[in-house]
Amino acid sequence: MNVPTIFDASRLELFCRHVFERAGVPHEAAVMVAESLVQADLRGVDSHGVVRTQIYLERLEKGMVNPLANVEVVSRFGATALVDGNNQYGAVAGNHALRTSLDIARDLGAGIVGVKNSNHFGTCAYYALKAIQQGFALMVMSNASQTMPPTGGVRPFLGTNPLAVGVPTGDVPFILDMATSVVSRGKIIVAAQKGERIPLGWAVDKGGNPTTDAEAALEGSVLPLGGAKGYGISMFIDILSGVLTGAGFGKYVNNMYENWVDAQNVGHIFIAIDISRFISLEQFKSRMDQYIAEIKAEPRAEGIDEILVPGEIEQRLTESKRKTGITLPFKVAAELHAIGKKYEVDLDAAAL
Amino acid sequence: MNVPTIFDASRLELFCRHVFERAGVPHEAAVMVAESLVQADLRGVDSHGVVRTQIYLERLEKGMVNPLANVEVVSRFGATALVDGNNQYGAVAGNHALRTSLDIARDLGAGIVGVKNSNHFGTCAYYALKAIQQGFALMVMSNASQTMPPTGGVRPFLGTNPLAVGVPTGDVPFILDMATSVVSRGKIIVAAQKGERIPLGWAVDKGGNPTTDAEAALEGSVLPLGGAKGYGISMFIDILSGVLTGAGFGKYVNNMYENWVDAQNVGHIFIAIDISRFISLEQFKSRMDQYIAEIKAEPRAEGIDEILVPGEIEQRLTESKRKTGITLPFKVAAELHAIGKKYEVDLDAAAL
């Protein structure tokens, strides 16, 4: 089998879009899902990139997501809104909630929008990037299916519930996007797919023992970031994303890979802030540029070439991969190749 | 010197209040500052308790805080407001911002209030507790003077910028209140005052070397929680509390103990959510109770008697210390004794 492994980002996105369309996803939804996946690859967040195409399609084929569903605002009061994803793809529900939160923030300075009945919505950074391009600060969180034990527990109870915060800047961007685990489960999936071992401290096996075996870690639990503090952060994200919105929480957020009976019922929360209601956007950007310049000018520890701010590496990777292409592990490329065959979309056309 | 070391919480609070009043703090402000300090001791957060009375008074005596200042809302738009602390005590500015955020949330479902020109405002939990008693969810953050290096740096640049999230529950409370360092600097101050060593991994000395010497750690830097992730969290708290509000950020948040020329210019941000705009408060509380009951019922690791949720220990300590009293280290009690002498307020009257 002659499978390309280096792809042009725009054409890879087109490939994904067409595959989803052929699978029955309406154009607009397919655009968002494909955009979200390829942007993750561009940013170097392989775990949330086109590696997810296969599972997204499987959920679709087995009727576990509804790409025809209308995402709707089911309640709106003042600066708040609740969005029902109606089991649409997470990227579609997420984009709807993002737009709603920005619209509200435009009117009222701030908008807080919850989402229920959603699915895996890609990276949080995907939404933060859109918000900062429009001059807003965004905090976005999502819950996820069980992968981490609570402090003192032995088996998965909490998701690696991610959090992103993005703010506009003049120069170097600021986008923090992190799972509340020591590392994201996706990174362990990637390691398993590459057949690589994981560092000690990332995860425990299903017996609760520390492991460097990625496959064993996937059967066990990833650990919360920084012990009890990460446990607490993961809980509050679950509370705001799930308990508050009416979505699942804890064990009621269903596993995308393992549960083929129930919809995922993931919940998200978007907190958008119109910077200009506090300080002019220009002044804010200039203060951010000063802040970032000062932190980058700090004396460095031995062996450190540069002090980086959250999102800086990802932006550089995006710029470079736009030029030199996205390189996928053979296993992932082969999977896409098979998907292309099945849905009659030519993967070769996306090769660089 | 015959100094009491065990105190009745209410009478200790009265002692502190009277001391601040004698020092020139108006009654209402003194009530808030004293309440904030003693509540921290009750919750077992000694680092933010009456141990801070001395420095709060010193700042006052040297004109570094202005207890006569009017805290004012300088701009208000929709669901947002900006509060100018005008260099009042942080607890006074914080209470004003909390009330404003809850008032806005009552009207519009959510309120986001920034604070500039403030000072050390005690624990974040102090505000979260008040919010949840009124049926609101609160996220509150503050920046702080430089104590932690950025990832890759060697000297303090970021504060241990704390974050709290509280939500109402029916039974066991949920209040996460954490510094973004491995531990709070306050805990190292307490260790130094008690003459105790600190665990390895909490901090580095001023040369950037790991240390177990609390005094050396205070001259050096505490480390961010979980490496680059804690660095990122601390940055975003600084951005929302400082860059956005017009308060200090990074090195422009002045050290309460070291800088006797400039006001601290601490910034805070309060994000209040009216639960009932998303889901009825009763339903939310019942979902929280279920969530907490389920997490507490998880199988436990060997040697673990109980799985706890954030804020649970603190609530138990409060209940027990209300009955059995607050025990202070001799050094702190002696300091209060001297303060009592100076301001002619009888510490013995607070002894249990």
Side-chain angles (χ1 to χ4, degrees):
Chain A
M1 190 168 57
N2 193 5
V3 173
T5 56
I6 306 179
F7 300 91
D8 171 72
S10 303
R11 285 183 276 128
L12 183 61
E13 191 176 321
L14 216 56
F15 166 82
C16 288
R17 185 196 302 173
H18 289 157
V19 163
F20 283 108
E21 285 176 343
R22 291 280 172 90
V25 179
H27 175 73
E28 275 194 36
V31 166
M32 290 186 249
V33 174
E35 178 187 60
S36 142
L37 295 176
V38 173
Q39 191 198 74
D41 281 311
L42 278 170
R43 290 173 63 79
V45 187
D46 308 357
S47 57
H48 287 61
V50 295
V51 67
R52 302 273 187 169
T53 311
Q54 174 67 26
I55 184 71
Y56 277 21
L57 287 168
E58 268 181 60
R59 298 292 292 178
L60 172 62
E61 289 158 4
K62 295 188 176 145
M64 302 312 302
V65 300
N66 179 5
L68 304 177
N70 277 323
V71 177
E72 50 188 348
V73 174
V74 287
S75 71
R76 165 79 205 266
F77 178 85
T80 62
L82 180 61
V83 166
D84 191 332
N86 284 318
N87 202 28
Q88 238 310 351
Y89 276 118
V92 183
N95 270 294
H96 199 100
L98 172 69
R99 277 195 308 275
T100 307
S101 71
L102 297 183
D103 285 347
I104 296 175
R106 227 171 254 119
D107 284 350
L108 292 171
I112 301 188
V113 177
V115 186
K116 64 179 174 180
N117 297 319
S118 187
N119 286 285
H120 188 268
F121 80 160
T123 67
C124 291
Y126 170 67
Y127 307 98
L129 257 168
K130 293 190 178 197
I132 68 179
Q133 280 159 2
Q134 296 173 63
F136 291 83
L138 186 76
M139 187 180 304
V140 52
M141 304 173 228
S142 180
N143 60 13
S145 58
Q146 299 184 302
T147 43
M148 306 196 300
T151 297
V154 292
R155 68 178 186 189
F157 183 93
L158 290 157
T160 57
N161 306 343
L163 158 78
V165 179
V167 298
T169 57
D171 187 11
V172 179
F174 179 93
I175 296 184
L176 173 71
D177 183 7
M178 50 171 270
T180 44
S181 51
V182 176
V183 294
S184 80
R185 188 175 154 82
K187 286 220 173 77
I188 303 177
I189 294 175
V190 169
Q193 272 170 339
K194 288 184 179 169
E196 290 172 3
R197 301 196 80 77
I198 58 166
L200 203 66
W202 280 20
V204 289
D205 65 19
K206 64 183 171 188
N209 310 302
T211 183
T212 60
D213 180 328
E215 299 283 358
L218 289 176
E219 284 172 24
S221 313
V222 291
L223 291 170
L225 155 78
K229 290 188 180 188
Y231 158 53
I233 297 175
S234 178
M235 263 190 101
F236 96 67
I237 294 174
D238 205 8
I239 291 168
L240 295 183
S241 305
V243 181
L244 178 69
T245 62
F249 53 83
K251 69 179 171 190
Y252 309 104
V253 181
N254 297 306
N255 190 299
M256 177 163 68
Y257 291 91
E258 289 165 15
N259 184 326
W260 296 94
V261 175
D262 306 300
Q264 276 202 275
N265 200 10
V266 175
H268 325 297
I269 192 149
F270 290 74
I271 301 177
I273 302 176
D274 182 352
I275 303 283
S276 68
R277 298 306 174 179
F278 290 90
I279 192 172
S280 83
L281 186 55
E282 282 321 295
Q283 211 184 339
F284 179 81
K285 284 183 176 177
S286 124
R287 282 164 69 89
M288 277 306 300
D289 289 349
Q290 181 191 351
Y291 184 51
I292 289 172
E294 285 177 3
I295 214 166
K296 292 185 72 69
E298 276 295 291
R300 298 187 300 276
E302 224 177 274
I304 300 290
D305 291 329
E306 188 182 4
I307 290 173
L308 295 159
V309 299
E312 196 171 6
I313 289 179
E314 291 81 358
Q315 195 206 28
R316 288 184 197 169
L317 284 173
T318 300
E319 284 166 10
S320 112
K321 289 184 183 209
R322 281 240 173 260
K323 288 180 202 145
T324 61
I326 292 170
T327 301
L328 298 176
F330 178 78
K331 194 170 168 182
V332 178
E335 207 171 71
L336 289 184
H337 185 76
I339 289 169
K341 287 254 178 209
K342 177 168 179 185
Y343 289 103
E344 298 178 344
V345 184
D346 183 16
L347 182 64
D348 290 342
L352 201 68
Chain B
M1 190 169 56
N2 193 5
V3 173
T5 56
I6 307 180
F7 300 91
D8 171 74
S10 304
R11 284 183 277 128
L12 183 61
E13 191 175 321
L14 216 56
F15 168 82
C16 288
R17 184 196 301 173
H18 289 158
V19 163
F20 282 109
E21 285 177 344
R22 291 279 171 88
V25 179
H27 175 73
E28 276 195 35
V31 166
M32 291 186 248
V33 174
E35 177 186 59
S36 143
L37 295 176
V38 173
Q39 191 199 74
D41 282 311
L42 278 170
R43 291 173 63 80
V45 188
D46 308 356
S47 57
H48 287 62
V50 294
V51 67
R52 302 273 187 168
T53 311
Q54 173 68 24
I55 185 71
Y56 277 21
L57 287 169
E58 267 180 62
R59 298 291 293 177
L60 172 62
E61 289 158 3
K62 294 188 176 144
M64 301 312 302
V65 301
N66 179 4
L68 304 177
N70 276 323
V71 177
E72 49 187 349
V73 174
V74 287
S75 70
R76 165 80 205 267
F77 178 85
T80 63
L82 180 60
V83 166
D84 191 331
N86 284 317
N87 202 28
Q88 236 314 348
Y89 274 117
V92 182
N95 270 294
H96 198 100
L98 173 69
R99 277 195 308 276
T100 307
S101 71
L102 297 182
D103 285 347
I104 296 175
R106 228 170 253 119
D107 284 350
L108 292 170
I112 301 188
V113 177
V115 186
K116 64 179 174 180
N117 297 318
S118 187
N119 286 284
H120 187 268
F121 81 159
T123 67
C124 290
Y126 170 67
Y127 307 98
L129 257 168
K130 291 189 179 198
I132 69 179
Q133 281 159 1
Q134 296 173 64
F136 291 82
L138 186 77
M139 187 181 304
V140 53
M141 304 172 227
S142 180
N143 60 14
S145 57
Q146 300 183 302
T147 42
M148 305 196 300
T151 298
V154 291
R155 68 177 187 189
F157 183 93
L158 290 157
T160 56
N161 306 343
L163 158 77
V165 179
V167 297
T169 58
D171 186 12
V172 179
F174 179 93
I175 296 183
L176 172 71
D177 182 6
M178 49 171 272
T180 45
S181 50
V182 177
V183 293
S184 79
R185 189 176 154 82
K187 286 220 171 79
I188 302 178
I189 295 176
V190 169
Q193 272 169 340
K194 288 184 179 171
E196 290 172 2
R197 300 196 80 78
I198 58 167
L200 203 64
W202 280 18
V204 289
D205 65 20
K206 65 184 170 188
N209 311 301
T211 183
T212 60
D213 181 326
E215 299 283 359
L218 289 177
E219 284 171 25
S221 314
V222 290
L223 291 170
L225 154 79
K229 290 189 180 186
Y231 158 52
I233 297 175
S234 178
M235 263 189 101
F236 96 66
I237 295 174
D238 205 8
I239 291 167
L240 294 184
S241 306
V243 180
L244 178 70
T245 62
F249 54 81
K251 70 179 172 191
Y252 309 104
V253 181
N254 297 305
N255 189 300
M256 178 163 68
Y257 291 91
E258 290 165 15
N259 184 325
W260 297 94
V261 175
D262 306 300
Q264 277 202 276
N265 200 11
V266 174
H268 326 298
I269 192 148
F270 291 75
I271 301 178
I273 301 176
D274 181 353
I275 302 283
S276 68
R277 299 306 175 179
F278 290 88
I279 193 172
S280 84
L281 186 56
E282 281 322 295
Q283 212 184 338
F284 180 82
K285 284 184 178 176
S286 124
R287 282 164 69 88
M288 278 305 302
D289 289 349
Q290 181 191 351
Y291 184 51
I292 289 173
E294 285 176 3
I295 213 165
K296 292 185 71 71
E298 276 295 290
R300 299 187 300 276
E302 223 177 276
I304 300 290
D305 291 328
E306 189 182 2
I307 291 174
L308 296 159
V309 298
E312 195 172 4
I313 289 179
E314 292 80 359
Q315 194 206 30
R316 289 186 195 166
L317 284 173
T318 300
E319 284 166 10
S320 112
K321 289 184 182 206
R322 281 240 174 260
K323 289 179 201 145
T324 60
I326 292 170
T327 302
L328 297 176
F330 178 77
K331 196 171 167 181
V332 178
E335 208 170 70
L336 288 184
H337 186 77
I339 288 169
K341 286 252 177 210
K342 179 168 176 184
Y343 289 103
E344 298 177 345
V345 183
D346 183 16
L347 182 64
D348 290 342
L352 200 68

